[in-house]
């Protein structure tokens, strides 16, 4: 005789929770990818700091990480620059989240100022390696150019989230100009390690 077992309501909830937990747990493939990315990043940064960015090839980085050049580009399509600065996706998510998730009573401009005060050249207390990486970026034209590209590529997203939060039109030219101005700050050549001063919007401004 075949018996059919029907889960109770509690069992269904447990099964649902278990499935959700499983979906949040990285699988073996994702874990291996993460390990490979960490190995490539570590090898690249070590070699760059030892010999200089321009003196290291992607083949040497792949060899130091015990992987193939094709694997390196599969994980970092942007090549050597991306091994130092990433692909910009995390930067864009963090930037828009700083505006959307700002505390009540904090203006958009102040939220952006607070965000920039913790990034790149303005990071208040970087670890020694992070300080050396920042110095490497400043001293290397290719890295400076890539950093600027990563920041300015967030212009559309930043203008959009500012429009969303202030009730303005996303195509408003003034918002795009504001977004571009904000995104030029971290890579402006005359900037030092002092973050921009607090921004006070004009009286009546929604920013």
């Amino acid at each position: 005789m075949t018996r059919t077992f029907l889960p109770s309501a509690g069992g269904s909830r447990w099964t649902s929770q278990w499935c959700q937990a499983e979906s949040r747990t990285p699988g073996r493939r994702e874990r291996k990818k993460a390990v490979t990315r960490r190995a490539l990043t570590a090898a690249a940064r070590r070699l760059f700091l030892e010999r200089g960015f321009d003196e290291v090839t992607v083949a040497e980085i792949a060899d130091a990480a015990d992987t193939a050049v094709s694997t390196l580009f599969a994980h970092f399509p942007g090549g050597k620059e991306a091994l130092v600065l990433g692909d910009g996706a995390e930067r864009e998510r963090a930037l828009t989240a700083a505006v959307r998730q700002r505390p009540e009573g904090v203006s958009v401009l102040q939220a952006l100022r607070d965000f920039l005060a913790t990034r790149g050249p303005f990071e208040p207390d970087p670890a020694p390696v992070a300080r050396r990486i920042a110095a490497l970026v400043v001293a290397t034209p290719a890295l400076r150019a890539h950093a600027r590209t990563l920041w300015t590529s967030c212009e559309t997203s930043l203008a959009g989230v500012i429009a969303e939060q202030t009730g303005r039109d996303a195509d408003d030219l003034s918002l795009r100009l504001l977004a571009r101005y904000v995104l030029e700050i971290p890579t402006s050549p005359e900037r030092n390690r002092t973050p921009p001063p607090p921004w006070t919007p004009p009286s009546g401004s929604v920013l």
Side-chain angles (χ1 to χ4, degrees):
M1 179 177 63
T2 302
R3 296 183 179 180
T4 302
F5 293 91
L6 298 176
S8 65
S12 296
R13 285 195 299 271
W14 183 89
T15 301
S16 175
Q17 292 168 357
W18 181 83
C19 290
Q20 290 173 9
E22 284 291 296
S23 67
R24 290 193 298 267
T25 303
R28 178 180 297 178
R29 179 175 297 181
E30 286 70 26
R31 292 196 300 272
K32 289 181 66 176
K33 286 182 179 180
V35 169
T36 300
R37 286 179 65 86
R38 287 195 296 270
L40 285 165
T41 299
R45 293 185 174 191
R46 175 176 58 78
L47 291 172
F48 293 153
L49 292 175
E50 288 175 356
R51 293 162 47 191
F53 181 81
D54 294 325
E55 305 305 317
V56 178
T57 67
V58 290
E60 289 172 322
I61 296 168
D63 184 63
D66 195 24
T67 190
V69 171
S70 58
T71 301
L72 183 153
F73 281 107
H75 288 279
F76 296 94
K80 294 199 308 180
E81 291 83 358
L83 282 158
V84 177
L85 297 165
D87 61 6
E90 181 276 334
R91 187 184 313 248
E92 184 172 341
R93 287 193 298 269
L95 182 65
T96 54
V99 176
R100 285 197 178 102
Q101 300 172 14
R102 68 190 188 282
E104 185 176 354
V106 173
S107 70
V108 170
L109 291 179
Q110 187 59 43
L112 288 169
R113 190 266 180 190
D114 293 345
F115 171 78
L116 290 178
T118 66
R119 304 286 296 208
F122 308 131
E123 187 175 358
D125 188 25
V129 171
R131 186 178 290 111
R132 293 179 66 196
I133 291 294
L136 176 71
V137 173
V138 171
T140 308
L143 287 173
R144 289 203 310 272
H146 189 65
R148 182 176 185 275
T149 297
L150 291 177
W151 280 110
T152 57
S153 67
C154 299
E155 179 183 319
T156 298
S157 295
L158 180 57
V161 76
I162 294 174
E164 167 197 303
Q165 293 293 304
T166 59
R168 303 276 288 276
D169 189 330
D171 294 325
D172 188 329
L173 179 59
S174 65
L175 293 187
R176 297 194 70 89
L177 291 174
L178 172 62
R180 174 54 68 102
Y181 168 75
V182 169
L183 296 170
E184 291 282 3
I185 290 173
T187 56
S188 182
E190 67 272 14
R191 290 288 173 188
N192 53 30
R193 290 184 58 83
T194 303
W199 296 329
T200 303
S203 178
S205 171
V206 295
L207 297 173

